[in-house]
Amino acid sequence: GMRISEFQSIRVGDINFSKGEIIILGKGRKLGRVYFSFNTGVDLQIYITKNRLLPSDYLWRSTVNNGLPYTKKTIRKKTKRAFARCGFKDFTPHQLRHSFATDLIERGATIQDAQHLLRHSSSKTTEIYIHNLQNKINDTYRKLHNEEIY
């Protein structure tokens, strides 16, 4: 659920493996937290070790740019290429935020939970992210009331 600028600026020292969280600098220069699973933590530790990264290093650093983070353009290009290989030709990194929000709500999170995890200052913004779930509201209502779904 990170913004591309948040993703771009992660330093190894921002990662707390024991808590499964990353401290990020969000929109409006606000500090925030994003969370990751145990398996993601293992993958991150392998990546950090393999690339011999120090706590002060950017996690996604450019080898051609003296260790500075990848540019937003490069991140977009790399993710677009990776998703295209999986059959998603018109992918944008921002779609991951929308997918994250949708997944949260489908798994039972409240709008307020999603708002907090996406670091939105207004629930109205969060509602925009989950607009495609409106068709599922009827299904959820019926399921909660043990009614058959048509």
Side-chain angles (χ1 to χ4, degrees), residues 36 59 67 78 82 85 90 117 121 126 137:
F36 57 88
L59 186 61
K78 285 180 175 290
R85 284 193 304 264
D90 294 322
L117 290 167
S121 54
T126 308
I137 291 174

Side-chain angles (χ1 to χ4, degrees), residues 113-127:
D113 293 334
Q115 175 187 350
H116 177 74
L117 290 167
L118 290 164
R119 295 161 315 283
H120 286 152
S121 54
S122 167
S123 62
K124 297 288 183 202
T125 306
T126 308
E127 289 172 16

Side-chain angles (χ1 to χ4, degrees), residues 26 31 41 72 76 79 81 90-93 96 99 113 115 117 122 126:
L31 286 179
K72 291 176 189 174
R76 283 186 187 98
T79 53
R81 195 178 310 132
D90 294 322
F91 172 82
T92 65
L96 288 173
S99 296
D113 293 334
Q115 175 187 350
L117 290 167
S122 167
T126 308

Side-chain angles (χ1 to χ4, degrees), residues 56-69:
S56 59
D57 288 334
Y58 286 102
L59 186 61
W60 314 113
R61 66 185 184 160
S62 170
T63 55
V64 297
N65 228 0
N66 294 329
L68 291 174

Side-chain angles (χ1 to χ4, degrees), residues 18-122:
S18 63
K19 290 185 176 181
E21 67 182 23
I22 303 171
I23 303 298
I24 51 107
L25 187 60
K27 197 172 184 180
R29 303 200 45 83
K30 294 180 195 168
L31 286 179
R33 287 181 167 77
V34 293
Y35 305 96
F36 57 88
S37 69
F38 175 81
N39 290 336
T40 298
V42 170
D43 290 340
L44 280 171
Q45 287 176 324
I46 291 168
Y47 174 84
I48 289 165
T49 301
K50 178 182 168 188
N51 291 285
R52 297 184 179 117
L53 300 179
L54 302 172
S56 59
D57 288 334
Y58 286 102
L59 186 61
W60 314 113
R61 66 185 184 160
S62 170
T63 55
V64 297
N65 228 0
N66 294 329
L68 291 174
Y70 286 130
T71 64
K72 291 176 189 174
K73 182 178 179 180
T74 299
I75 293 170
R76 283 186 187 98
K77 191 186 300 182
K78 285 180 175 290
T79 53
K80 185 175 180 87
R81 195 178 310 132
F83 274 81
R85 284 193 304 264
C86 298
F88 300 97
K89 294 190 189 239
D90 294 322
F91 172 82
T92 65
H94 195 72
Q95 288 172 305
L96 288 173
R97 259 175 88 73
H98 286 267
S99 296
F100 177 74
T102 300
D103 186 57
L104 287 172
I105 299 300
E106 286 180 340
R107 291 175 181 260
T110 65
I111 295 275
Q112 290 76 22
D113 293 334
Q115 175 187 350
H116 177 74
L117 290 167
L118 290 164
R119 295 161 315 283
H120 286 152
S121 54
S122 167

